[in-house]
């Protein structure tokens, strides 16, 4: 113990001398001696504190407090330690300060107790968090011992509670914002749902309302108390809003209690007043406390609800007495005007409604006020908003507000009955029925349903509901409506009597009944009007007319009376001016006056005031009175939609007009004129199929309704014909025009349309390749033009069409001999100054005399020239017909330019052979296009045409023209193609290719662009690519193109010549042949194309047409040679003769073949003619002559010709084989010996020649020359393994070897050798049918025969070149009945099929 005391004494001395380490050592030593030493722990804590070893110091102090809990020294040390650390240890500081303060309180040391409290709260305020500061203030609140002990020395509770409220408010606000910010980022989170959840969690657990209540209880400041009352109510209301439904009841009672308390104290807090007013669920506004309403207006004059209440209380619909008067005074002074005008009142209430969008009461009052003003649309909108707000208030407060909802529904239903009636009647009926289900005696709902039935013309039901309403509530308004229903049901006398009985109860000075009086007077007038419908009665001004006037005297804004007066003035008084004014006034007052609107629209339409028609019709449409509700007996009104459609059609707004006409037809499906309008709208918008259906429906209505109802109906037929024309159904269009012309013979528009359709049909058939149909259409068009010219000679379209029909003959030159010169001549000359044809004569030398002179020749070229001249003169006459129309004149010059260009093409027959023709027509075309551009410089087609005609004359102008055209319209594929051709002419291949590529991108189906790229490929030597491009161009082109089929056919010819195997496929020859046949119809002077066509025809075996074509070519070339004496023409003539001889030989005309062949030899005998073409011509002629003489029996002449062929070919092995066959066929020993020698010599020079080897083998078998046979067999075996043999050669080899094996068998029966040969054939050619057929003939196994059929089918066209006879033999080898029948059907001339069939039978 003495040691402990010494250590304590030493520790105390060390602390005094600031030797803290020694103090720590001594204190620690003392604690080891006595762990319960209080002072040792305190000294240790203090020393450690001085050394800033805070955690160890705190442990020491804490140990000391455990030893002596009621000794303040250790607690003071802790507090000192905590103060030094600032706010880091505030939570522990709170416990130490509270304990120390209570210790001082126990010893009654108020000064030191207050000091501890003040230091702690001040440190918490400065260094602590908001929560720590709040925690520090809690020790100052009433209920704690310290407050009672230090009262008067510490702040008042109201001040403390105020600080606590501020802190908690801020904490809750920050927590709500923080949680919302975190949770809103979760997947699927919605901001509104997150906000409600967070607020519910925070507000439910909040102590703020308790703090507010304490603040209210302790404060002496009245303003502060009211402030906290407001906050308490607001917090309770916010909590109520976010609480779930089952938990709202208790909280709602608290909110209502708080709000009523504030209202009782007349404190102007808006939320309390609104809760008190809005949550008072009354059936009628009359049940509200008027004093409370007036106090609200007084307290909140600028509030939205306050404005609405102020206007309502001073309005004529207010159920409360005016302020400062009794109810009795109010009843006696209803007509007195208030201090506020009606306009100012409406503005005030409208502004108030805008300022209070969440007020149910404001929407309810404004809805009723709008109903009073007959502003049904505004009432509808306001009531709908009120319903939504009531539903929202129900969700927030948990109160049903059923009476308020019913009142708003009554306003909405009543407004919907009148607003855009009868569109909203189903909805209104549903609302009324819902109210009646809860309140069966509600008169307003009963009247509403009655009005709906009245509008639907179900008057019995309407009267039933109105009578029920009268039983529950006696009302003059209901009595008037019931009487009117009786009148509408047909009982006008009783209805009129009852209406007159109601008049004494109605006052025109009472704002609430003046409109009803005007309506009653109008209805009395209508009863009188319908009771006696005679003209005298209706014209009588003392009857219905007087009532209508009285109605307007009662209310100048009653629209139906104006409508009735308008009808009176129109139909009976014959005063159109007054009638129009009445209709305008009626329609201005109410868009529901459909009769007045219709009369107005008709009058505006008669004067072509389409803008006014549109305004009237659109307003009627927006009124909503056009379509009856489902199940209604009332008919719909379609004329406003039809009128809108007509206006929109005139304004070229076709999509909108379609919608309008469709709307009209939904209401009136049998409206003929709406169908016609719909069809026209569809047509103008490019929807031709729909237009066709619309016009067809209109024509069905024509038959159903008849002309008596519809009147003149030709227009629909005319429009349907126009649609057919647009669809390309020209025959139907022409027939339609014919039907119209039968009804209206001199209808210019229809006649011109018929003429133009015939011309379009001609061009269409021309493009499709139906040239005969095209000419037939042109002939019909000429007849129409002749008829039209009899009474309308000055029509531009007439002469433009005449020029077009003449041009058709220049394009389809095979029909030029059918050109009706006399008809055209008389048509052009009829009633016209012939001097006018001299237009541009300085350039084209074209006048009337030149046209007549062109008709003197009989040749096709002369007739073609006449056609071109006629087209030019017709276009010149078209120019003279449009002097006053700049656009038509520009088009006329444009058409004349193309006519001149076509004349240039047709008159330059040498163009196809490479020599330029005359340029006068081309220069004239340039002048035409220039004049067209002067009149209309923005037309891209004009610039393109100028570029085309100047390409040959002036390349710089041509390039500028093309570029200008593309600047105006860069989406024209034709212009891009023309530019590419221009660059190709100029030698710029790259630019040409770019232009063609651009044309393809603009229009991939523009064939000329692909042709241009094919020409580029051909120029670069890429023949395969060129052929593919020409083929694609031909496939997508129409029949009007001439260069495309020519290029395609020539490229295919080059391909077939370079690929002999391809020429054996007849399918590959058909398309080029068709192209050349098509070309021959378009250009009769294109002899090279005709010659090539004859070669294709010859290849496919069309010998008759070949001979005919070549004969015409020979005649044309002979005539050309007689004129030009050109060696080139002579060579072509010789070639044609050689080809003709070959064709005649194939026909069996051996005399003609021999003569033409010898003529070809004579024509080509000139040594000046050299080259491969001459050699081929002479070889063909020698062979044809040789074969022809052979068939004539002139063997010597035949052999002579073959020898000549050998000389021409210098010993060609194929010619030697042919000559040997002829010599052998002659039959003499000498000739056969010569044949053998020729073949032996040939095989020496050409050891691998297949034909020579086969012939030697055949001759050796026939001569029974076994040595030669053995030698040939070896060669044949070697030949069989070659890959370059054709299927025909492989078959010949197999047949010869099979014959040799049969003739010279190696075994007794020879079957083994034949089987071996057949197996070899199969091995060498497993895909060929010959080896399999041979094997099938040597064995009874069915497999070889089946394989023979399989391979034969695969080699048959179009997959191969196997003939029908070979396929027939393959089927015959199966020995099956069905295959034998197929064999006979494939080749009935083959005996194998018949033999197989006989064996099966």
């Amino acid at each position: 113990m003495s040691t402990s005391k010494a250590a304590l004494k030493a520790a105390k001395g060390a602390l005094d001398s600031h030797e803290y380490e020694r103090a720590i050592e001594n204190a620690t030593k003392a604690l080891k001696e006595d762990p319960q030493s209080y002072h040792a722990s305190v000294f240790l804590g203090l020393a450690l504190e001085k050394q800033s070893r805070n955690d160890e110091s705190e442990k020491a102090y804490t140990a000391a407090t455990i030893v002596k809990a009621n000794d303040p020294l250790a607690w003071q040390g802790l507090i000192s330690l905590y103060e030094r650390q600032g706010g880091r240890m505030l939570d522990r500081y709170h416990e130490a300060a509270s304990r120390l303060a209570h210790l001082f309180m126990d010893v009654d040391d108020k000064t030191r107790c207050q000091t501890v409290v003040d230091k702690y709260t001040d440190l918490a305020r400065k260094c602590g968090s908001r929560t720590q500061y709040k925690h520090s203030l809690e020790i100052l609140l009433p209920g704690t011992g310290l407050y009672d002990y230090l009262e008067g020395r510490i702040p008042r509770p109201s001040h403390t509670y105020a600080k606590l409220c501020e802190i908690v408010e801020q904490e809750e606000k920050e927590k709500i914002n923080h949680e919302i910010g975190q949770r809103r980022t979760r997947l699927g989170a919605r901001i509104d749902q997150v906000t409600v959840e967070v607020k519910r969690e925070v507000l439910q657990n909040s102590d703020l309302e308790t703090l507010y209540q304490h603040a209210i209880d302790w404060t002496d400041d009245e303003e502060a108390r009211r402030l906290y009352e407001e906050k308490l109510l607001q917090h309770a209301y916010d909590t109520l809003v976010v609480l779930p439904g089952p938990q709202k009841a208790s909280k709602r009672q608290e909110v209502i209690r708080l709000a009523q308390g504030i209202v009782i104290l007349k404190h102007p807090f808006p939320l309390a007043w609104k809760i008190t007013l809005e949550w008072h669920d009354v059936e009628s506004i009359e049940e509200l406390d008027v004093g409370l309403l007036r106090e609200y207006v007084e307290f909140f004059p600028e509030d939205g609800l306050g404005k609405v209440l102020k206007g309502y209380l001073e309005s004529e619909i207010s159920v409360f007495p005016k302020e400062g008067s009794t109810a009795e005074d109010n009843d006696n002074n209803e007509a007195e005007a208030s201090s506020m005008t009606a306009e100012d009142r409406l503005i005030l209430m409208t502004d108030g409604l805008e300022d209070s969008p969440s007020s149910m009461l404001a929407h309810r009052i404004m809805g009723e006020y709008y109903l009073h003003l007959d502003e049904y649309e505004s009432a509808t909108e306001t009531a709908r908003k009120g319903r939504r707000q009531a539903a929202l208030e129900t969700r927030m407060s948990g109160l049903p507000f059923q009476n308020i909802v019913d009142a708003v529904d009554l306003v909405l239903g009543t407004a919907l009955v009148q607003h855009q009636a009868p569109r909203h009647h189903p909805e209104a009926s549903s609302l009324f029925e819902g109210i009646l289900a809860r309140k069966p005696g509600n008169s307003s709902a009963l009247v509403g349903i009655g009005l709906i039935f009245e509008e639907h013309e179900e008057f019995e039901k309407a009267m039933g509901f109105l009578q029920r309403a009268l039983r529950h509530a006696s009302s003059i308004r209901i009595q008037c409506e019931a009487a009117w229903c009786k009148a509408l049901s047909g009982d006008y006398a009783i209805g009129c009597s009852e209406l007159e009985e109601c008049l004494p109860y109605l006052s025109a000075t009472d704002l609430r009944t003046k409109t009803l009086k005007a309506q009653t007077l109008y209805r009395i007038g209508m009863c009188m009007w319908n009771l006696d419908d005679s003209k005298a009665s209706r014209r009588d001004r003392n009857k219905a007319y007087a009532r209508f006037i009285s109605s307007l005297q009662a209310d100048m804004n009653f629209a139906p009376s104006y409508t009735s007066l308008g009808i009176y003035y129109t139909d009976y008084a014959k005063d159109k001016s007054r009638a129009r004014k009445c209709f305008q006034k009626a329609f201005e007052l109410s868009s529901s006056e459909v009769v007045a609107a219709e009369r107005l629209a008709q009058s505006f339409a008669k004067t072509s005031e389409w803008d006014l028609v549109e305004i009237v019709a659109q307003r009627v449409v927006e009124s909503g009175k056009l379509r009856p509700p489902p199940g209604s007996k009332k008919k719909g009104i379609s004329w406003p939609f039809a009128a809108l459609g007509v206006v929109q059609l005139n304004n070229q707004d076709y999509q909108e007009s379609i919608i309008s006409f469709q709307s009209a037809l939904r209401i009136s499906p049998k409206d003929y004129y709406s169908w016609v309008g719909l069809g026209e709208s569809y047509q103008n918008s490019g929807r031709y199929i729909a237009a066709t259906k619309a016009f067809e429906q209109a024509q069905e209505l024509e038959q159903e309704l008849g002309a008596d109802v519809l009147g003149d109906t030709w227009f629909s037929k005319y429009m349907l014909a126009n649609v057919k024309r647009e669809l390309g159904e020209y025959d139907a269009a022409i027939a339609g025009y014919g039907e119209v012309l039968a009804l209206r013979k001199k209808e210019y528009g229809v006649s011109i349309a018929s003429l133009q359709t015939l011309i379009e049909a001609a061009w269409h058939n021309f493009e499709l390749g139906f040239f005969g149909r095209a000419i037939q259409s042109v002939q019909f068009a000429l007849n129409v033009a002749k008829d039209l010219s009899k009474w309308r000679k000055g029509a531009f379209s007439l002469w433009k069409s005449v020029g077009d029909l003449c041009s058709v003959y220049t394009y389809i030159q095979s029909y030029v001999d059918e050109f009706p010169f006399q008809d055209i001549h008389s048509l052009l000359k009829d009633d016209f100054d012939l001097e006018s044809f001299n237009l541009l004569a300085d350039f084209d030398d074209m006048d009337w005399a030149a046209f007549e002179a062109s008709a003197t020749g009989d040749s096709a070229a002369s007739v073609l020239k006449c056609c071109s001249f006629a087209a030019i003169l017709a276009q010149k006459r078209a120019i003279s017909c449009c002097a006053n129309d700049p656009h038509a004149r520009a088009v006329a010059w444009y058409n004349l330019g193309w006519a001149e260009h076509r004349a240039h093409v047709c008159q330059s027959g040498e163009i196809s052979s490479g020599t330029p023709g005359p340029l006068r027509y081309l220069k004239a075309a340039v002048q035409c296009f220039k004049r067209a551009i002067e009149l209309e410089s923005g037309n891209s087609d004009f610039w393109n045409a100028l570029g085309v005609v100047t390409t040959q004359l002036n390349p710089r102008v041509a390039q500028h023209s093309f570029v200008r055209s593309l600047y105006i319209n860069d989406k024209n594929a034709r212009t891009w193609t023309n530019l590419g051709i221009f660059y190709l002419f100029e030698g710029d291949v790259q630019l040409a290719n770019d232009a063609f590529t651009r044309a393809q991108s603009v229009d991939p189906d523009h064939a000329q662009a692909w042709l241009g790229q094919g020409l580029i490929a051909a120029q670069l030597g890429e023949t395969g690519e060129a052929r593919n491009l020409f083929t694609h161009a031909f496939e997508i082109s129409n029949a009007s193109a001439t260069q495309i089929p020519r290029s395609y056919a020539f490229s295919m010819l080059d391909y077939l010549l370079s690929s002999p195997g391809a020429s054996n496929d007849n399918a590959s020859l058909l398309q080029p042949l068709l192209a050349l046949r098509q070309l021959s119809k378009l250009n009769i002077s294109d002899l090279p194309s005709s010659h090539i066509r004859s070669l294709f025809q010859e290849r496919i075996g069309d010998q008759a047409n070949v001979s005919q074509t070549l004969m015409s070519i020979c005649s044309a070339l002979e005539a050309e040679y007689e004129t030009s004496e050109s060696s080139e023409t002579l060579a072509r003539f010789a070639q044609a003769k050689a080809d003709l001889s070959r064709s005649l030989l194939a026909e069996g005309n051996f005399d003609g073949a021999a003569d033409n062949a010898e003529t070809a030899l004579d024509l080509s005998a000139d040594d000046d003619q050299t080259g491969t073409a001459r050699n081929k011509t002479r070889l063909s002629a020698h062979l044809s002559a040789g074969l022809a003489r052979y068939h004539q029996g002139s063997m010597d002449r035949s052999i002579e010709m073959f020898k000549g062929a050998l000389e021409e070919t210098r010993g060609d092995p194929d010619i030697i084989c042919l000559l040997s066959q002829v010599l052998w066929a002659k039959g003499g020993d000498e000739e056969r010996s010569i044949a053998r020698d020729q073949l032996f010599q040939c095989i020496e020079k050409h050891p691998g020649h297949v034909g020579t080897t086969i012939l030697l083998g055949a001759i050796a078998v026939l001569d029974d020359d076994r040595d030669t046979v053995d030698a040939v067999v070896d060669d044949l075996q070697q030949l069989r393994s070659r890959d370059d043999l054709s299927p025909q050669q492989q078959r010949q080899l197999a047949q010869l070897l099979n014959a040799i094996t049969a003739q010279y068998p190696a075994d007794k029966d020879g079957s083994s050798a034949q089987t071996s040969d057949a197996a070899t054939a199969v091995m060498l050619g497993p895909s060929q049918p010959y080896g399999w057929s041979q094997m099938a003939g040597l064995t009874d196994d069915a497999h070889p025969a089946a394989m023979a059929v399989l391979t034969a089918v695969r080699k048959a066209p179009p997959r191969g070149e196997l003939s029908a006879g070979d396929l027939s033999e393959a089927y015959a080898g199966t020995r099956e009945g069905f295959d034998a029948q197929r064999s006979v059907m494939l080749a009935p001339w083959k005996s194998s099929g018949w033999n197989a069939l006989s064996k099966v039978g």
Side-chain angles (χ1 to χ4, degrees), residues 901-1110:
H901 179 266
R902 186 60 190 170
H904 165 74
V905 174
C906 294
Q907 298 304 314
S908 303
E910 297 83 357
I911 288 179
S912 60
S913 59
T915 59
L919 299 178
R920 62 178 185 273
Y921 302 113
L922 205 59
K923 294 178 180 178
V926 173
Q927 297 301 317
C928 293
F929 292 135
K930 283 183 177 179
R931 296 192 183 184
I933 291 172
E934 290 174 359
L935 293 169
E936 194 173 326
S937 59
N939 193 310
S940 62
D941 292 334
F942 294 175
W943 286 101
N944 174 54
L946 181 61
V948 171
V949 297
T950 55
T951 298
Q952 186 176 353
L953 299 174
N954 192 333
R956 296 180 64 184
V957 173
Q959 184 180 21
H960 171 73
S961 300
F962 288 135
V963 172
R964 182 65 179 175
S965 176
L966 292 172
Y967 174 77
I968 298 171
N969 179 15
D970 62 349
K971 302 298 184 182
N972 193 326
R974 182 171 299 177
T975 306
W976 281 109
T977 303
N978 292 337
L979 180 62
I981 294 295
F982 168 79
Y983 285 136
L984 198 58
F985 283 162
E986 296 301 312
D988 195 331
V989 176
Q990 182 59 45
L991 286 178
N993 185 67
D994 293 343
F996 291 137
T997 302
R998 185 65 181 272
Q1000 291 167 0
S1001 65
V1002 172
D1003 184 5
D1005 292 331
H1006 189 60
Q1008 281 74 11
W1010 297 96
L1011 171 67
Q1013 285 201 326
L1015 295 174
I1016 292 176
Q1019 183 174 337
L1020 296 177
E1022 300 176 359
T1023 55
E1025 180 67 16
R1027 183 177 67 257
N1028 292 334
L1029 290 169
F1030 289 144
T1031 302
H1032 180 66
F1034 177 73
E1035 289 173 349
I1036 65 175
S1037 67
N1038 53 45
S1040 63
T1042 56
Q1043 186 58 41
I1044 292 176
R1046 197 171 193 270
S1047 300
Y1048 167 66
F1050 281 31
S1051 66
M1052 287 300 297
L1053 178 64
D1054 293 339
Y1055 168 67
L1056 295 174
L1057 292 176
S1058 62
S1059 303
S1063 64
N1064 295 326
D1065 184 9
N1066 287 347
S1068 64
L1069 306 176
L1070 292 178
Q1071 202 167 8
L1073 177 58
L1074 292 175
L1076 291 169
R1077 281 183 178 175
Q1078 171 185 307
L1079 186 60
S1080 67
K1081 299 288 186 180
L1082 303 179
N1083 192 346
I1084 57 177
S1085 62
D1086 190 357
L1087 296 181
S1089 298
S1090 298
H1091 199 163
I1092 298 300
R1093 175 166 58 92
S1094 68
L1095 298 179
F1096 280 102
Q1097 289 173 328
E1098 179 185 8
R1099 187 60 183 153
I1100 66 172
D1102 189 7
Q1103 301 301 333
N1105 286 327
V1106 172
S1107 301
Q1108 183 180 358
T1109 302
L1110 289 171

Side-chain angles (χ1 to χ4, degrees), residues 104 176 197 200 340 466 567 643 645 806 1132 1219 1258 1356:
F104 288 142
I176 289 172
E197 291 176 354
R200 182 186 302 140
M340 185 183 301
L466 292 173
I567 296 173
C806 294
R1132 291 166 56 199
L1219 176 59

Side-chain angles (χ1 to χ4, degrees), residues 581-876:
K581 291 179 181 178
C582 288
F583 289 137
Q584 286 179 338
K585 183 65 175 177
F587 192 61
E588 287 173 4
L589 291 172
S590 173
S591 61
S592 299
E593 293 301 309
V594 180
V595 175
E598 184 175 9
R599 298 283 185 124
L600 276 178
Q602 290 173 351
S603 65
F604 290 145
K606 289 178 181 178
T607 57
S608 299
E609 298 176 79
W610 298 110
D611 293 341
L612 296 178
V613 173
E614 182 179 14
I615 292 172
V616 171
Q618 187 62 47
R619 191 176 175 202
V620 175
V621 169
E622 293 173 354
S623 71
K625 297 185 71 66
L626 304 183
R627 293 186 177 90
S632 174
K633 297 179 181 179
K634 192 173 182 180
K635 293 183 178 179
I637 303 171
S638 62
W639 70 261
F641 288 111
L644 278 177
V646 172
V647 173
Q648 291 156 353
L649 195 58
N650 289 333
N651 294 336
Q652 298 182 357
D653 191 355
Y654 303 122
Q655 295 301 323
E656 292 298 324
S657 67
I658 288 172
I659 296 173
S660 297
F661 284 124
Q662 286 177 339
S663 300
L665 289 169
R666 290 190 188 101
I667 298 173
S668 301
K670 292 188 177 182
D671 186 353
Y672 169 78
Y673 296 102
S674 291
W675 280 111
V676 174
L678 179 62
E680 188 173 358
S681 300
Y682 277 136
Q683 179 193 359
N684 291 327
S685 62
R687 299 165 64 178
Y688 300 117
I689 301 299
T692 301
K693 293 180 180 179
F695 287 127
E696 288 175 349
Q697 182 65 34
Q699 292 187 348
E700 290 180 7
L701 289 175
E702 291 176 11
Q703 299 175 0
E704 180 180 346
L705 301 177
D708 296 338
V709 178
L710 300 177
D712 203 352
T713 58
W714 66 272
F715 186 72
S716 65
K717 296 182 176 63
Y718 168 67
M719 294 302 297
L720 180 58
N722 287 341
V723 174
K724 296 293 185 182
R725 174 183 174 184
E726 295 290 347
L727 288 172
E729 300 177 15
Y730 296 108
D731 293 339
I734 293 167
Y737 291 134
E739 292 180 12
V740 178
L741 290 173
L743 300 174
R744 302 174 69 91
K745 296 186 181 299
K746 290 189 177 182
E747 189 68 41
Y748 168 70
V750 182
S751 298
I752 282 295
S754 178
L755 176 60
Q756 292 175 337
T757 303
L758 285 165
I759 298 300
E760 290 175 8
W763 289 117
H764 179 68
N765 287 320
F766 166 57
E767 292 176 351
L768 294 178
F770 301 139
F771 303 131
R773 294 183 186 177
I775 296 300
Q776 187 178 14
S777 296
V778 165
Q779 293 170 350
F780 290 152
L782 180 59
N783 294 331
V784 175
K786 289 192 294 184
D787 293 339
L788 183 58
S789 66
K790 294 177 183 178
W791 52 276
R792 197 67 176 266
K793 293 182 175 62
F796 160 74
S797 298
L798 167 64
W799 300 110
K800 189 261 183 188
S801 299
V802 172
D804 288 343
L805 70 88
C806 294
S807 296
V808 172
Y809 285 98
T810 67
Y811 284 94
I812 310 176
Q813 297 179 7
S814 58
Y815 287 88
V816 291
D817 54 338
E818 298 182 15
F819 179 68
F821 172 77
Q822 292 299 331
D823 292 337
I824 297 296
H825 180 273
S826 60
L827 186 61
L828 290 173
K829 185 179 180 181
D830 185 25
D831 194 19
F832 189 68
D833 183 10
L834 300 181
E835 294 297 325
S836 299
F837 286 131
N838 295 336
L839 185 68
L840 295 181
D842 295 340
F843 291 94
D844 59 6
D845 294 334
M846 172 53 58
D847 53 16
W848 184 254
F851 172 61
E852 291 185 327
S854 66
T856 56
D858 294 332
S859 64
S862 299
V863 180
L864 184 61
K865 182 178 180 181
C866 183
C867 297
S868 302
F869 288 0
I872 292 174
L873 294 183
Q875 299 296 352
K876 288 183 177 180

Side-chain angles (χ1 to χ4, degrees), residues 285 288 305 308-309 312 317 349 360-370:
I285 296 178
L288 293 174
L305 179 59
V308 172
L309 290 174
Y312 171 74
I317 68 167
M349 296 176 73
M360 294 184 293
L361 182 58
H363 284 88
R364 179 178 180 178
I365 292 173
M366 283 304 298
E368 293 183 2
Y369 193 64
Y370 281 135

Side-chain angles (χ1 to χ4, degrees), residues 78-99:
L78 276 174
I79 288 176
S80 174
L81 175 65
Y82 293 148
E83 285 179 352
R84 290 186 58 187
Q85 298 182 53
R88 194 168 68 86
M89 305 298 289
L90 269 176
D91 294 336
R92 299 179 184 177
Y93 191 177
H94 174 83
E95 181 182 355
S98 178
R99 188 65 179 270

